[in-house]
Amino acid sequence: MSAVQIDRAAVIGAGVMGAAIAGHLAGAGIRCLLLDVVPHQLLPDEERKGLTISHSAVRNRLAEQGKQRLVRMNPAPLYDARFIHRIETGNVEDDWERLSEMDWIIEAVVERLDVKQQLLSRLEQVWKPGTIVSSNTSGVSIQEMSKSCSPSFRQHFMGTHFFNPPRYMKLLEIIPGDMTDSSLVQDMKQFCEKRLGKGVVIAKDTPNFIANRIGTYGLMMTVQEMVSHGYTIEEVDAVTGPALGRPKSATFRTLDLVGLDTFLHVAGNVRDRALDESERRAFDIPELLQKMVDQGWLGEKSGSGFYQKVKGASGSVIKTLDLQTMQYRERQHPVSSSLQAAKQAKGTASKIKALLGGSDKYSKLAWDVLKHVLVYAAEKLGEIADRIEDIDQSMKWGFNWELGPFEIWDAIGVEPSVRRMEQEGLKVPDWVKERLEAGTAAFYRELEGALQVAEGKGYRPLDTPPEWIHLPRLKRSGGVILGNSGASLLDIGDDVACLEFHSPNNAIGADILSMIQQSVDIVEKDYAGLVIANQGRNFCVGANIMLLLMEAQDEEWDEVDRIIRYFQDTMTKLKYCKRPVVAAPHRMTLGGGVEVCLPSDRTVFAAETYFGLVETGVGLIPAGGGCKEMLRRMSDLAGLEQDLTPQLQSLFETIAMAKVSSSGFDAANLGYARPTDRVVMQQERQIYEAKQSVLELNRAGYSQPYPAMIRVTGENGAALLKAAVQTMLRGGYISEHDALIASKLAAVLSGGAVGENTMVSEQHILDLEREAFLSLCGEPKTQQRMQHMLSKGKPLRN
């Protein structure tokens, strides 16, 4: 438990980054004061309103503009737009004294040492002893900016480098100064991990810290390889993207997003401050990049960079810069045996090995880039960070690499790669070779289910909090109770079992449904309760629509009916389990994935959960109990007297428009989350927190749910919804097929051919779901939508 308690924070500087940090703090439930400088002149709109330069709306304008940007930006910096009210705006003149009321003050002004020094000097005049102060700098020295401050102030001062955008980029580098209280650093690490959901690493006070130091070096090496060997931009990006375990933006799309001017500033920081002459030369600005900046080709923000988006008659076209002519041309798509082998390989380690194992020029490019990065990371251990895992995690959390440098080294084999590096004249750090000689070459190893990491010539346990339950390691250490190709039931301790999906994309098929049925039987007999969770990229993208499409195309209607009945029966069995069931969804949780969560006693959402019944996007309606569960919640909430119509209209709109929550918090706005459900900021803790919910329900004297009658609006409600559908159709907002799907959904959600306020059984709604689903499966346009989703990965409007 962190000793730090932060309820109020201030951010000084309301630019893009400062405002986004305030937004993230607000999302974590922290009240935030956002300050910026006072404008020196009125805007035309302010003049028209008759405002003066002394009016508070004018004086707070810059901070207020930063705050309002948070609501308009896409992707949204806020988990929920309502959280904007947790941010108060002000200015650094009128509200400066209020900084003494804060628990944490974050400086996010321009990246200039003199400006930051002046701000800290002024801040110390109102600073309350004990208040934490930090700088969101990407590379300015923490020691230098605070060297004129008092020892007491410096003990409470550190760097907190948030990566942009703070909500979506997990990495937070904490950089202690030479006098920062070490216990405070650890307390802040724990606080930022648990409360803010960040992945925190402790960095040394060196140029660009960890992630930007290695990432910038890697980009420099890549540009140098491209220029010296004549590779095209597309060739480099084909190699340095997913084939190498990195994002699709690869090298040059990333540079365009960052901005070439920003990148050169970051690179220049190392070149100017690094102690080693050879390292400074590695950060010399390539002539190509300098020429592009001089011409204003800065990337996305200027409209042109390595890529250029051009509007054409049939839509936008992406063109690529030809480095020979310095003109933009049509994009090319490199093809080679090594790239194809990497694409076909399963898992990041296998992809990298397949790419490096080829004999074409793309294999050579991958190796020539990678070998320098691996050696550089090894050289910087001890200088930029003390721990191997901090370097690896920095690159994964800050640059979205699938594997960190030392994990990659393990994947390709330390001994053969070092041998090849030395044959090619590369100097490998002595400590790496000493580990080879000691027979402990690998940087990580697993021992009795626990991960260990290299230290000296041996290993030490990886510092992992006990609350971080890691399912793959648990499985390898014998924690599997039962399993099949689609799912496994695991023992996660304290008499709680966890049902883990592991089918392709975690799509629900017969194997997962069978495992749910068996899991309920086992848990009722031998366990205190069940958690439904996994640690895949997404929780569940829905049901296996390929199987449904094949059966529908073959007109095997009895088989389609059997599949849907089996799904419904399985969800019913899950709902009426005699032990508590807690679902823990994360990221994409769609369609059938939602229907697995809805029967649970509680749902523990990850903050980044995109949750919604999206079946209409493939021409269907929810038929695994999703409509029934949402109707039951609506009926329970309304009681016996309240008019159901407004809630029905809202529910109909949510499902018919396939609305998906923008976060775990937003799920409540769509009616998917109950007051008893909760959101966990730190995803690593999610399964642990779900387990605690199971135990809490048991301690409170859990009793098995019972089937309930559901009050429905009947034919009157259906008529109201269908009239709205026809209005949309006549207005050209939806297609004929959209109207057909919506009309069938309306009939289900209104309870069918019954009177208003009729009480119907859960099975009645399930039968309506299944009948509507079956009829839609037979529609050619629905089958077209399903086929399009399978082949293109996005909805078809027909």
Side-chain angles (χ1 to χ4, degrees):
M1 187 77 178
S2 171
V4 167
Q5 180 63 39
I6 295 173
D7 298 311
R8 302 193 64 188
V11 179
I12 306 171
V16 172
M17 196 63 194
I21 291 171
H24 190 67
L25 298 180
I30 299 171
R31 290 178 296 159
C32 197
L33 176 64
L34 181 61
L35 305 180
D36 211 310
V37 297
V38 175
H40 296 301
Q41 60 185 65
L42 295 171
L43 295 176
D45 184 56
E46 293 168 337
E47 290 179 340
R48 285 192 294 272
K49 292 178 180 178
L51 301 179
T52 66
I53 199 72
S54 62
H55 194 283
S56 60
V58 177
R59 294 177 69 80
N60 297 343
R61 181 213 305 153
L62 295 179
E64 187 63 29
Q65 287 176 339
K67 174 181 174 179
Q68 296 306 320
R69 270 198 313 272
L70 298 175
V71 181
R72 301 190 301 269
M73 289 175 68
N74 187 28
L78 295 167
Y79 290 113
D80 188 323
R82 296 174 300 175
F83 294 168
I84 194 72
H85 301 299
R86 295 173 180 170
I87 302 174
E88 184 182 359
T89 56
N91 66 75
V92 296
E93 294 181 14
D94 304 328
D95 301 288
W96 195 251
E97 296 287 337
R98 294 184 59 192
L99 295 175
S100 63
E101 306 165 10
M102 302 299 152
D103 303 311
W104 183 13
I105 302 168
I106 303 172
E107 168 274 306
V109 300
V110 64
E111 287 283 81
R112 277 180 44 188
L113 176 60
D114 60 333
V115 174
K116 292 179 183 293
Q117 287 174 329
Q118 292 168 17
L119 184 145
L120 293 181
S121 177
R122 184 180 172 218
L123 176 59
E124 188 171 11
Q125 297 172 19
V126 297
W127 174 71
K128 180 180 68 178
T131 299
I132 300 160
V133 181
S134 68
S135 171
N136 179 59
T137 176
S138 61
V140 179
S141 170
I142 301 303
Q143 181 174 336
E144 283 298 310
M145 71 173 80
S146 62
K147 65 181 182 182
S148 298
C149 298
S150 69
S152 178
F153 184 92
R154 293 174 71 182
Q155 287 169 8
H156 294 83
F157 178 67
M158 66 189 73
T160 49
H161 179 208
F162 289 82
F163 272 59
N164 191 27
R167 171 183 165 182
Y168 300 98
M169 295 302 292
K170 191 173 180 69
L171 181 61
L172 172 63
E173 294 175 324
I174 289 184
I175 310 100
D178 59 333
M179 295 184 67
T180 310
D181 185 328
S182 59
S183 62
L184 180 62
V185 171
Q186 291 303 316
D187 288 342
M188 278 297 287
K189 180 178 186 294
Q190 293 177 35
F191 175 84
C192 292
E193 286 173 342
K194 186 174 180 180
R195 187 77 179 271
L196 304 187
K198 307 306 291 183
V200 180
V201 299
I202 307 300
K204 299 291 190 73
D205 189 9
T206 54
N208 293 2
F209 312 130
I210 303 174
N212 279 343
R213 182 75 168 267
I214 292 176
T216 304
Y217 177 84
L219 287 167
M220 282 295 197
M221 291 297 103
T222 304
V223 172
Q224 289 176 22
E225 288 294 330
M226 179 185 71
V227 172
S228 61
H229 292 94
Y231 293 104
T232 67
I233 288 168
E234 295 100 327
E235 287 176 326
V236 172
D237 275 357
V239 169
T240 59
L244 211 53
R246 299 181 187 178
K248 291 180 179 179
S249 57
T251 296
F252 295 112
R253 178 71 180 127
T254 297
L255 281 173
D256 277 355
L257 290 170
V258 169
L260 269 69
D261 53 341
T262 301
F263 173 73
L264 294 193
H265 170 77
V266 174
N269 191 46
V270 182
R271 185 191 62 233
D272 296 340
R273 294 176 55 203
L275 301 177
D276 183 75
E277 178 60 33
S278 63
E279 183 178 8
R280 287 200 297 270
R281 286 197 302 271
F283 285 87
D284 283 340
I285 306 303
E287 183 181 345
L288 168 66
L289 299 189
Q290 190 61 60
K291 183 177 181 180
M292 291 176 68
V293 170
D294 292 343
Q295 292 183 200
W297 297 351
L298 306 180
E300 192 170 86
K301 60 186 173 185
S302 68
S304 298
F306 290 101
Y307 296 98
Q308 182 186 61
K309 184 182 288 188
V310 179
K311 290 185 177 179
S314 58
S316 297
V317 176
I318 304 294
K319 294 193 171 185
T320 310
L321 182 64
D322 188 312
L323 301 179
Q324 303 303 314
T325 64
M326 295 303 286
Q327 300 294 319
Y328 290 94
R329 54 159 172 76
E330 298 299 320
R331 293 177 74 181
Q332 300 169 350
H333 299 282
V335 177
S336 83
S337 59
S338 64
L339 290 173
Q340 187 62 26
K343 186 175 182 179
Q344 293 175 346
K346 301 296 183 185
T348 303
S350 296
K351 287 181 182 296
I352 296 173
K353 290 170 73 174
L355 179 61
L356 295 178
S359 57
D360 56 35
K361 66 177 183 177
Y362 300 117
S363 290
K364 183 179 187 307
L365 172 59
W367 170 251
D368 287 341
V369 169
L370 191 57
K371 67 181 181 183
H372 289 293
V373 173
L374 299 184
V375 168
Y376 188 73
E379 288 175 344
K380 295 298 118 184
L381 182 66
E383 179 183 337
I384 63 175
D386 285 329
R387 308 192 308 175
I388 281 174
E389 62 267 37
D390 281 345
I391 292 177
D392 278 345
Q393 296 290 22
S394 292
M395 301 314 298
K396 292 194 290 184
W397 291 334
F399 278 73
N400 290 322
W401 289 15
E402 293 289 336
L403 297 174
F406 296 101
E407 291 173 323
I408 293 173
W409 217 333
D410 276 353
I412 65 175
V414 180
E415 187 172 359
S417 59
V418 166
R419 187 166 57 247
R420 183 176 174 184
M421 289 170 183
E422 291 188 319
Q423 288 171 352
E424 295 174 7
L426 206 58
K427 188 179 186 310
V428 177
D430 290 340
W431 72 268
V432 175
K433 292 192 288 186
E434 288 169 2
R435 290 188 58 81
L436 281 172
E437 293 168 0
T440 54
F443 298 108
Y444 295 91
R445 72 175 183 183
E446 196 168 309
L447 190 65
E448 297 178 352
L451 200 58
Q452 297 185 332
V453 64
E455 184 172 75
K457 295 181 182 180
Y459 294 92
R460 60 171 169 78
L462 192 66
D463 184 18
T464 304
E467 297 85 2
W468 292 15
I469 297 173
H470 191 269
L471 297 183
R473 285 203 290 273
L474 191 64
K475 290 166 73 174
R476 291 194 293 269
S477 63
V480 179
I481 303 166
L482 188 69
N484 63 22
S485 60
S488 296
L489 185 66
L490 312 176
D491 188 328
I492 56 174
D494 298 317
D495 287 329
V496 178
C498 176
L499 178 63
E500 177 207 27
F501 300 167
H502 46 68
S503 66
N505 294 317
N506 287 341
I508 298 173
D511 48 3
I512 287 180
L513 295 176
S514 171
M515 188 55 60
I516 293 174
Q517 295 245 8
Q518 294 177 77
S519 295
V520 171
D521 291 338
I522 292 171
V523 167
E524 286 184 338
K525 181 175 179 290
D526 298 324
Y527 286 86
L530 177 68
V531 169
I532 304 176
N534 64 73
Q535 292 170 325
R537 184 180 297 275
N538 297 303
F539 176 80
C540 177
V541 298
N544 185 341
I545 61 173
M546 180 180 290
L547 176 63
L548 285 167
L549 177 60
M550 290 170 59
E551 299 293 354
Q553 288 174 334
D554 291 341
E555 299 186 359
E556 296 286 351
W557 305 120
D558 287 345
E559 181 60 20
V560 175
D561 182 71
R562 188 196 68 78
I563 292 171
I564 302 309
R565 284 180 186 272
Y566 188 41
F567 200 128
Q568 291 182 342
D569 291 346
T570 302
M571 295 306 105
T572 299
K573 184 168 185 173
L574 184 64
K575 181 174 183 65
Y576 296 110
C577 178
K578 295 175 183 177
R579 304 294 184 190
V581 176
V582 176
H586 67 277
R587 294 190 63 80
M588 302 300 289
T589 305
L590 306 174
V594 172
E595 290 179 306
V596 168
C597 297
L598 291 178
S600 66
D601 297 292
R602 285 187 188 171
T603 303
V604 177
F605 294 91
E608 296 299 341
T609 304
Y610 318 121
F611 197 89
L613 293 167
V614 297
E615 285 84 351
T616 59
V618 289
L620 299 167
I621 70 159
C627 295
K628 180 263 293 184
E629 280 300 310
M630 294 303 290
L631 277 174
R632 174 170 173 170
R633 291 184 185 186
M634 183 183 79
S635 175
D636 290 347
L637 192 63
L640 296 176
E641 303 295 332
Q642 187 177 332
D643 181 14
L644 289 171
T645 304
Q647 293 181 54
L648 175 66
Q649 290 174 318
S650 177
L651 175 59
F652 174 74
E653 182 179 299
T654 294
I655 299 178
M657 297 180 66
K659 290 185 178 181
V660 176
S661 72
S662 61
S663 69
F665 295 99
D666 187 45
N669 298 328
L670 298 181
Y672 288 126
R674 301 156 291 193
T676 53
D677 296 336
R678 54 177 300 210
V679 180
V680 174
M681 291 289 287
Q682 187 184 27
Q683 193 169 323
E684 290 88 348
R685 292 180 60 93
Q686 187 185 11
I687 296 176
Y688 169 82
E689 296 295 348
K691 184 173 87 167
Q692 298 309 304
S693 291
V694 166
L695 297 173
E696 179 186 335
L697 286 165
N698 261 322
R699 285 194 296 270
Y702 180 77
S703 59
Q704 178 185 5
Y706 59 91
M709 300 299 285
I710 300 171
R711 184 162 67 96
V712 295
T713 59
E715 292 178 310
N716 289 345
L720 184 67
L721 296 178
K722 289 177 181 179
V725 170
Q726 290 303 310
T727 300
M728 295 284 285
L729 178 61
R730 288 193 296 270
Y733 297 105
I734 60 176
S735 69
E736 291 278 357
H737 195 53
D738 289 329
L740 174 65
I741 299 163
S743 296
K744 289 186 177 293
L745 176 65
V748 173
L749 293 181
S750 60
V754 297
E756 188 172 5
N757 290 322
T758 298
M759 304 296 288
V760 301
S761 68
E762 293 183 6
Q763 188 59 51
H764 176 80
I765 301 298
L766 290 174
D767 290 342
L768 292 176
E769 284 184 3
R770 193 176 63 260
E771 291 165 9
F773 190 95
L774 276 166
S775 66
L776 287 169
C777 278
E779 293 288 334
K781 288 188 176 180
T782 283
Q783 293 179 19
Q784 290 170 12
R785 290 190 179 193
M786 295 168 75
Q787 184 65 58
H788 192 270
M789 178 61 74
L790 287 168
S791 59
K792 304 293 185 181
K794 54 186 178 182
L796 169 69
R797 296 298 302 276
N798 57 358

